[in-house]
Amino acid sequence: MRVAIFGTGYVGLVTGTCLAEVGHDVVCVDIDQAKVDGLERGIIPIYEPGLEPLVKANHAAGRLVFTTDASQAIEHGEVIFIAVGTPPDEDGSADLQYVLAVARTIGTHLQRPAVVVNKSTVPVGTADKVQAAISDVLAARTQQIEFDVVSNPEFLKEGDAVADCMRPDRIVIGARNAQAAATLRRLYAPFNRNRDRVVEMDVRSAELTKYAANAMLATKISFMNEIANIAERVGADIEQVRQGIGSDPRIGWHFIYPGAGYGGSCFPKDVQALARTAAQYGHQPKLLDAVEAVNAAQKGHLFELVQRHYDRGEDEGIRGKTFAVWGLAFKPNTDDMREAPSRRVLAQLWEGGATVRVYDPEAMDEARRIFGERDDLTFCDSAFDALQGADALVVVTEWKQFRSPDFTRMREALGDAVVFDGRNLYEPAEIEAAGLAYYGIGRGRSVHAA
């Protein structure tokens, strides 16, 4: 099938590449000429495992084309995806200006029937707005061209997006008529061979499904962080609690790891956007508000542990101290630092008068873009390079390469011999046996020492 995709960001590029990989002819359009030029040369604007070779192979085969020419893309596509950003507006609601701009562009250049697919994460009712925007432009052109607007939300996990796209758990299709749904079924048939993954529903239910899914996962994270904070105060070990509740099949093992709070491009803005949508319809979303509040507080908890340790001394706390920070991305296997807990931790360390030495396997360039060059920030070439001259270590992202360090070497490198583990990567007994003070999330034996 002939596919056009507006937006070459995380969702658009992964979706377009995977559709090309299974044989569809895909044209990806973006307004950023530099990004398009880079993609034509094989330069991938995001880090996503497995994506680069697929982009290069399908571009070389002619199944994946990049352009800034919207009319070319619309002329090509019998299915037209809208996959542009929906950043938070000032009140936390989703900003639809880019989605509706694409809709008007489609209305301007549409010459024959097509199915328009909302792939961006959008609030309930957006399909109606896209339908109206396209219809208004067609009416101004005095054109009567049939088109359908379908909601087809993405469920891609950053760091595993290619696998999620090629082997989806479910394919949600919200359509007003059977013919449009059948077109999407035909498009996704290569991903749907061994069992039927398609879940058909009405358009508004599909729009709400995406937000509900992310809000549910965010709720599990905030709940576990709340329980971890309670465990810390009562002297319980959250890791043992996690194993106790995870073995209940009604709860399960996924998303019950406590930590430094969730970040990224999806959970923070989607929880906020769903809460604002509920408020607009006259409902106070108390649970969603609490999930958001717990997460905001949790991002400051690592620094609370730092303060708890250094306030025992007689000096000025962390002023003049140097901290090694392992991990900057909001999760492993991505370079995405949007809403990352590391950003809060670094800001608090700097405000307290400390300097930092940072390392992340993929997010160093993004960190340089965000923070620039400053005297209290050193970018390091490896995890152990970051420890050189540092007084303490703060672990923020659970990259696999951080999971089994040499604790003896770590003890020798750190001036104050203390580790603040924001992802509970280490066993307290093992790390303390190596002579390091240890603070975890809901595990910190050092909290109860002395």
Side-chain angles (χ1 to χ4, degrees):
M1 298 180 69
R2 299 185 310 278
V3 180
I5 296 184
F6 279 80
T8 59
Y10 169 70
V11 174
L13 185 57
V14 172
T15 301
T17 301
C18 291
L19 288 172
E21 176 69 9
V22 297
H24 296 301
D25 291 320
V26 181
V27 174
C28 290
V29 60
D30 200 290
I31 61 173
D32 187 337
Q33 184 68 60
K35 182 187 287 188
V36 169
D37 291 343
L39 286 165
E40 288 282 323
R41 299 193 304 271
I43 300 173
I44 312 303
I46 59 173
Y47 174 75
E48 184 63 41
L51 181 60
E52 183 176 344
L54 290 183
V55 170
K56 290 180 176 179
N58 284 282
H59 179 61
R63 293 189 300 270
L64 184 61
V65 175
F66 303 102
T67 183
T68 57
D69 188 340
S71 62
Q72 173 193 342
I74 294 166
E75 181 181 357
H76 171 82
E78 54 189 306
V79 178
I80 304 172
F81 282 85
I82 301 176
V84 294
T86 53
D89 212 336
E90 291 183 4
D91 64 350
S93 60
D95 185 350
L96 297 178
Q97 63 171 310
Y98 305 111
V99 170
L100 296 178
V102 172
R104 289 188 289 270
T105 299
I106 293 171
T108 299
H109 298 288
L110 194 64
Q111 300 294 335
R112 52 184 169 76
V115 175
V116 177
V117 182
N118 276 346
K119 198 68 173 174
S120 303
T121 300
V122 293
V124 175
T126 300
D128 296 336
K129 295 179 180 179
V130 169
Q131 181 96 22
I134 296 173
S135 296
D136 288 348
V137 177
L138 287 174
R141 292 171 52 200
T142 65
Q143 296 288 318
Q144 291 185 340
I145 302 173
E146 292 186 4
F147 70 96
D148 289 286
V149 178
V150 174
S151 176
N152 174 222
E154 57 87 13
F155 297 98
L156 305 177
K157 299 186 294 292
E158 288 194 55
D160 205 22
V162 172
D164 283 343
C165 195
M166 298 298 291
R167 296 181 294 278
D169 295 320
R170 75 284 207 199
I171 302 168
V172 173
I173 298 174
R176 293 184 174 87
N177 64 68
Q179 185 176 355
T183 298
L184 267 291
R185 275 187 173 273
R186 186 157 58 94
L187 180 75
Y188 285 119
F191 308 108
N192 205 34
R193 295 189 65 184
N194 66 341
R195 65 177 176 85
D196 188 5
R197 293 176 167 88
V198 172
V199 182
E200 288 191 38
M201 58 186 70
D202 64 84
V203 173
R204 290 198 166 211
S205 294
E207 291 172 333
L208 182 56
T209 295
K210 168 64 175 180
Y211 280 110
N214 279 352
M216 181 65 190
L217 298 177
T219 299
K220 293 183 73 172
I221 295 171
S222 281
F223 175 81
M224 284 305 294
N225 284 333
E226 191 82 280
I227 297 300
N229 293 338
I230 295 172
E232 211 167 87
R233 284 157 178 77
V234 303
D237 185 337
I238 192 60
E239 176 60 18
Q240 295 181 37
V241 174
R242 184 187 69 81
Q243 294 183 30
I245 67 173
S247 57
D248 186 332
R250 297 170 300 174
I251 297 172
W253 298 105
H254 297 295
F255 287 86
I256 61 169
Y257 288 90
Y262 59 76
S265 63
C266 294
F267 287 5
K269 75 178 183 66
D270 288 359
V271 171
Q272 291 180 26
L274 181 55
R276 302 311 177 267
T277 296
Q280 289 167 9
Y281 282 81
H283 176 71
Q284 182 182 354
K286 297 178 182 178
L287 181 57
L288 296 178
D289 290 342
V291 168
E292 189 178 351
V294 168
N295 190 60
Q298 193 68 15
K299 288 183 179 180
H301 188 58
L302 259 179
F303 187 69
E304 291 175 2
L305 297 179
V306 171
Q307 288 180 308
R308 187 178 300 169
H309 179 81
Y310 282 102
D311 281 351
R312 291 179 176 178
E314 298 178 357
D315 56 10
E316 294 183 292
I318 66 169
R319 185 168 301 281
K321 296 290 184 180
T322 298
F323 288 82
V325 175
W326 285 2
L328 298 168
F330 86 94
K331 64 179 289 188
N333 294 327
T334 181
D335 59 356
D336 193 346
M337 289 183 61
R338 286 173 289 184
E339 301 287 340
S342 64
R343 299 177 70 159
R344 173 83 69 85
V345 172
L346 292 180
Q348 290 174 311
L349 291 173
W350 287 326
E351 186 176 352
T355 61
V356 295
R357 296 174 57 82
V358 302
Y359 173 72
D360 186 284
E362 293 296 337
M364 299 294 273
D365 288 341
E366 179 66 3
R368 288 187 177 93
R369 184 190 68 80
I370 293 170
F371 301 120
E373 298 295 329
R374 45 188 299 165
D375 294 338
D376 50 9
L377 171 62
T378 301
F379 295 100
C380 301
D381 294 330
S382 69
F384 271 94
D385 180 32
L387 300 181
Q388 303 308 309
D391 297 296
L393 168 65
V394 181
V395 181
V396 187
T397 311
E398 63 275 31
W399 287 92
K400 288 182 179 179
Q401 63 179 261
F402 299 157
R403 292 183 181 181
S404 300
D406 184 334
F407 293 133
T408 300
R409 185 180 174 191
M410 186 185 294
R411 168 65 184 88
E412 294 170 351
L414 295 174
D416 293 335
V418 56
V419 175
F420 303 95
D421 182 0
R423 296 297 175 184
N424 288 355
L425 293 185
Y426 312 124
E427 282 297 320
E430 181 181 4
I431 198 169
E432 290 181 341
L436 292 151
Y438 177 80
Y439 294 80
I441 305 298
R443 303 201 75 188
R445 297 189 181 193
S446 297
V447 172
H448 303 288

